[in-house]
Amino acid sequence: MDISKIVNQQNSFFNSNSTKEVTLRIETLKKLKHILKENENNLYTAIYDDFKKSAFETYIAELSLIYNELNDAIRNLKKWSKQKRVRTNLANFPAKSYIIPEPLGTVLVISAWNYPYQIALIPAISAIAAGNTVVIKPSEIPNNTSKVLAQLINANFNENHLTVIEGNVATTTELLQQKWDKIFFTGSTPVGKIIYKAAAENLTPVTLELGGKSPTFVLADCNIKITAKRIVWAKFLNAGQTCIAPDYLLVEKRIETKLLEALKKEIEDFYPHSKNINENYVQIVNERNFNRLAQLIPTNKIYHGGEVNPENRSIAPTLLRNIGFEDHIMQDEIFGPILPIIAFENLEDVIKKVKVKEKPLALYIYSKNKKIIQKILHEISFGGGAINESLVQISNPNLPFGGVGASGIGNYHSKAGFDTFTHYKSILHKTSWIEPNIKYTPFTKFKSAILKFLLE
Ligand code: NAD
């Protein structure tokens, strides 16, 4: 595959101004929706082959989010693309001022493996909505989903507008040698740094959607049963291979035992057969990740679970207790079905410990105490989160999604996604029927007084 040829062709197509036509953008998005709908069964089969993931889970965690994003963009992109008039200040009178949203150009979307459809397609939808041309490079790890995405898109869209290039690190490295107008990357923090460096060569703007260890505070006044249910759902969905899954719990000491019992009960109810992969519980994506996770479990700290099966790459939902911030499992993002639980007595101390770590992608608080909720929200920097819930913030299109610090740069979803792929061009439009002459020489006291009046 000649990568530079594809990029050149996309640049030419962009420069033909075709993608600036809002009708083409809407048609393209409608076509994408139609193709996905028509091929849902192929999408379900491919993801089952890669993860043993059920159609139900694929629909709620992937396709429904993609359809929502498509519907939202189709409905609103005309409004989002309109030029907007803003006030002109007195010093510039007589003139009008406006802002023109313009697409950035040719965009590269590099995606991670864990939600292979939505992580590849949602940024691409925003980029198309904003009028760009797009190359998607899906993760090579789940190769059935990568293949089905490439087949569906490459057979149905103009390669100069939207295309998929499959490949591994070598392909991505070659893609990064091209000059892009924007790179949108989802993946790990170390690879994020590689992308950022490559982009800097051409001063290409980036959005980096990275990972991190997302803390979950559980305060003594929470509803323990509902808290346990929501945490178990959020942590073990996709076997914990979710960037915004609760990575670890910070639980007030006096409810620790009750919460552990409640978590265990929910796991037993949710996943009665989790030692075997089944329609409700997915497998670990590959051997490398399976081995990494299996070695992370400290056998002397298992409260529940801990069974691993290399034959089907399953790791049972696992609860760890008596964990401290210095434990091995607390050093890096877990990205699997292992939940360490740290019990604490002093909230101040625990907040301080979270603050010295890298800024997480998500944070969750289970409590009814408004003061404590406000305190945590005010003191800790993180990408986004939820109170008395986990994960579901991603499904509200009005909440921009993204990290901060080591968990990412920039955000997307709905209008925030449109903005991510748009340059807002500011124009001051002067008339020529009058020339006040104030800014020209000679610089007199009178002019200076008028300028001060206008500018201060
Ligand atoms: P990864 O960084 O290994 O890979 C992501 C992409 O980068 C893939 O397409 C891969 O082919 C490419 N890549 C890998 N190594 C590369 C290299 N050396 N040079 C150039 N390209 C390279 O990440 P992953 O394992 O696919 O995904 C897991 C990570 O992604 C976790 O840290 C998770 O938290 C994060 N993630 C973040 C979000 C988010 O929205 N913030 C969503 C999903 C996953």
Side-chain angles (χ1 to χ4, degrees):
M1 175 172 307
D2 190 342
I3 286 179
S4 63
K5 188 170 153 219
I6 293 176
V7 179
N8 285 337
Q9 284 172 351
Q10 287 216 347
N11 280 330
S12 303
F13 188 64
F14 180 76
N15 286 328
S16 74
N17 298 320
S18 305
T19 64
K20 290 186 179 160
E21 296 299 329
V22 166
T23 44
L24 176 74
R25 304 182 201 177
I26 293 175
E27 269 167 29
T28 308
L29 296 180
K30 282 186 174 165
K31 187 171 173 189
L32 179 58
K33 185 174 168 190
H34 177 74
I35 285 158
L36 295 175
K37 284 260 174 219
E38 290 273 287
N39 289 282
E40 268 189 8
N41 283 340
N42 294 341
L43 295 167
Y44 290 142
T45 306
I47 209 161
Y48 184 83
D49 290 344
D50 283 331
F51 295 89
K52 304 286 173 282
K53 194 182 321 205
S54 67
F56 184 89
E57 195 172 324
T58 305
Y59 183 79
I60 59 161
E62 301 243 28
L63 297 190
S64 69
L65 298 176
I66 296 168
Y67 292 142
N68 276 335
E69 196 70 29
L70 279 164
N71 293 340
D72 193 45
I74 292 165
R75 211 171 25 239
N76 292 306
L77 82 86
K78 227 182 210 159
K79 182 175 77 198
W80 295 339
S81 319
K82 276 209 174 100
Q83 125 181 354
K84 286 178 192 60
R85 186 94 181 246
V86 293
R87 272 190 56 233
T88 302
N89 55 346
L90 198 57
N92 283 304
F93 183 79
K96 58 185 174 181
S97 301
Y98 42 88
I99 300 168
I100 305 170
E102 70 171 20
L104 294 173
T106 298
V107 164
L108 172 63
V109 172
I110 304 171
S111 63
W113 53 262
N114 57 329
Y115 289 94
Y117 298 139
Q118 56 123 327
I119 287 175
L121 290 178
I122 292 182
I125 290 165
S126 297
I128 294 287
N132 300 275
T133 65
V134 184
V135 171
I136 300 173
K137 207 302 282 178
S139 169
E140 68 282 19
I141 290 178
N143 63 353
N144 293 294
T145 46
S146 169
K147 210 172 284 160
V148 79
L149 271 181
Q151 274 163 1
L152 290 183
I153 292 195
N154 295 349
N156 289 292
F157 291 90
N158 175 355
E159 184 184 58
N160 302 339
H161 190 192
L162 172 63
T163 193
V164 171
I165 296 182
E166 288 188 274
N168 54 14
V169 176
T171 310
T172 318
T173 306
E174 197 182 337
L175 283 163
L176 289 173
Q177 283 157 1
Q178 312 301 312
K179 188 171 184 301
W180 301 93
D181 296 298
K182 170 93 190 185
I183 299 176
F184 187 105
F185 170 79
T186 303
S188 61
T189 303
V191 179
K193 290 180 187 174
I194 296 173
I195 306 294
Y196 206 4
K197 276 188 197 147
E201 275 301 309
N202 291 308
L203 293 179
T204 298
V206 293
T207 297
L208 302 177
E209 298 286 343
L210 311 176
K213 284 186 90 61
S214 301
T216 297
F217 286 84
V218 185
L219 281 303
D221 69 327
C222 74
N223 178 326
I224 292 185
K225 188 172 164 34
I226 291 182
T227 298
K229 195 171 190 143
R230 292 180 181 168
I231 290 174
V232 165
W233 174 77
K235 175 70 187 186
F236 300 109
L237 183 84
N238 212 29
Q241 302 167 108
T242 304
C243 56
I244 50 171
D247 188 273
Y248 61 99
L249 302 190
L250 297 163
V251 182
E252 262 192 299
K253 182 94 187 141
R254 61 198 152 114
I255 59 154
E256 185 195 8
T257 306
K258 273 194 181 152
L259 183 77
L260 281 165
E261 285 164 4
L263 289 167
K264 179 172 173 237
K265 181 177 178 311
E266 294 302 335
I267 290 174
E268 285 167 349
D269 285 356
F270 272 46
Y271 306 109
H273 309 294
S274 58
K275 281 166 215 160
N276 297 312
I277 297 305
N278 61 72
E279 61 183 13
N280 294 323
Y281 192 62
V282 310
Q283 64 185 179
I284 304 303
V285 69
N286 59 13
E287 207 179 308
R288 196 170 136 243
N289 274 289
F290 174 84
N291 291 335
R292 178 184 65 80
L293 288 164
Q295 282 161 19
L296 264 185
I297 302 174
T299 43
N300 59 339
K301 296 197 174 181
I302 296 171
Y303 172 79
H304 180 71
E307 299 87 356
V308 302
N309 182 352
E311 270 165 37
N312 59 11
R313 296 200 306 272
S314 78
I315 295 185
T318 298
L319 303 173
L320 302 178
R321 74 180 306 184
N322 299 326
I323 298 292
F325 278 92
E326 64 295 339
D327 280 35
H328 180 52
I329 191 132
M330 286 303 295
Q331 305 319 308
D332 289 312
E333 179 183 12
I334 297 169
F335 219 56
I338 308 166
L339 184 60
I341 293 148
I342 298 179
F344 73 88
E345 281 174 298
N346 184 319
L347 183 65
E348 288 291 340
D349 285 352
V350 93
I351 288 178
K352 273 188 201 143
K353 285 185 176 146
V354 172
K355 281 170 77 166
V356 297
K357 292 177 88 68
E358 296 287 14
K359 294 178 182 176
L361 181 59
L363 183 146
Y364 305 106
I365 308 167
Y366 286 83
S367 172
K368 299 187 205 79
N369 185 323
K370 286 188 187 148
K371 258 193 174 162
I372 292 184
I373 294 170
Q374 281 315 315
K375 181 179 171 60
I376 297 170
L377 293 182
H378 180 69
E379 290 197 21
I380 302 177
S381 178
F382 58 93
I387 315 296
N388 295 316
E389 253 298 6
S390 301
L391 299 195
V392 294
Q393 71 274 19
I394 199 172
S395 64
N396 180 351
N398 302 313
L399 292 172
F401 179 86
V404 58
S407 58
I409 297 174
N411 48 42
Y412 72 129
H413 286 184
S414 188
K415 174 68 163 55
F418 182 91
D419 292 344
T420 285
F421 293 101
T422 297
H423 166 62
Y424 285 96
K425 190 152 74 183
S426 294
I427 303 295
L428 186 124
H429 189 145
K430 199 98 184 212
T431 59
S432 300
W433 57 268
I434 185 170
E435 180 50 278
N437 274 329
I438 299 167
K439 64 176 186 267
Y440 305 115
T441 55
F443 298 139
T444 64
K445 278 193 176 151
F446 176 68
K447 285 181 181 175
S448 167
I450 292 181
L451 271 178
K452 279 192 174 162
F453 171 74
L454 290 174
L455 296 178
E456 287 181 9

